[in-house]
Amino acid sequence: MTDSMWAHQPAAGYNEGTDLAGFRVEATDGSIGKVDKHSVEVDSSYLVVDAGVWIFGKHVLLPAATISSIDLDQQTVFIALTKEQIKDAPKFDKEMHLTDPEHRAQTEHYYGRHRRV
């Protein structure tokens, strides 16, 4: 397990160069939507998930370390969080995420509390 919330965990099975955009996303207790954006920047890897009808019109930010596994054949990303934990995460703001270090820190702190060791 890496220390960074913003890095893919080796056990998750992420293959470098694989774009996860369009993959289905499953929490531990059910589907939450599809990957809208996948970033693999060093120290800033994450998914932006379009939660669609589950949380109407909401996008959620999931740091790469929240991914427990990836099924390339089924094009599905499995997240090591419940739907409720994801729903209660800090509000995702596309602009703030990229420009405000405090927003990133809040997101990292929130998901870090729920991280399974």
Side-chain angles (χ1 to χ4, degrees), residues 92-109:
F92 172 62
D93 182 302
K94 176 171 53 173
E95 300 304 318
M96 287 180 66
H97 163 67
L98 297 173
T99 61
D100 183 359
E102 182 60 30
H103 184 269
R104 180 182 164 107
Q106 287 175 343
T107 301
E108 185 172 344
H109 177 73

Side-chain angles (χ1 to χ4, degrees):
M1 176 181 290
T2 68
D3 290 334
S4 173
M5 287 301 298
W6 305 100
H8 286 279
Q9 303 303 302
Y14 174 72
N15 294 322
E16 191 171 331
T18 302
D19 184 4
L20 301 176
F23 279 43
R24 289 179 309 139
V25 181
E26 295 283 329
T28 58
D29 56 352
S31 179
I32 64 165
K34 289 195 174 216
V35 177
D36 188 49
K37 180 180 180 186
H38 174 221
S39 169
V40 291
E41 308 226 357
V42 175
D43 295 327
S44 189
S45 295
Y46 60 87
L47 303 175
V48 175
V49 177
D50 180 351
V53 296
W54 175 58
I55 309 174
F56 184 71
K58 184 173 180 180
H59 285 76
V60 292
L61 176 67
L62 297 171
T66 63
I67 299 171
S68 59
S69 66
I70 299 166
D71 185 327
L72 295 175
D73 293 332
Q74 297 296 314
Q75 294 194 335
T76 304
V77 176
F78 296 91
I79 305 299
L81 298 163
T82 66
K83 291 167 78 172
E84 192 69 24
Q85 288 170 324
I86 295 166
K87 183 179 173 189
D88 291 343
K91 182 180 177 188
F92 172 62
D93 182 302
K94 176 171 53 173
E95 300 304 318
M96 287 180 66
H97 163 67
L98 297 173
T99 61
D100 183 359
E102 182 60 30
H103 184 269
R104 180 182 164 107
Q106 287 175 343
T107 301
E108 185 172 344
H109 177 73
Y110 177 82
Y111 287 118
R113 290 188 335 222
H114 298 292
R115 190 172 189 181
R116 294 183 182 156
V117 181

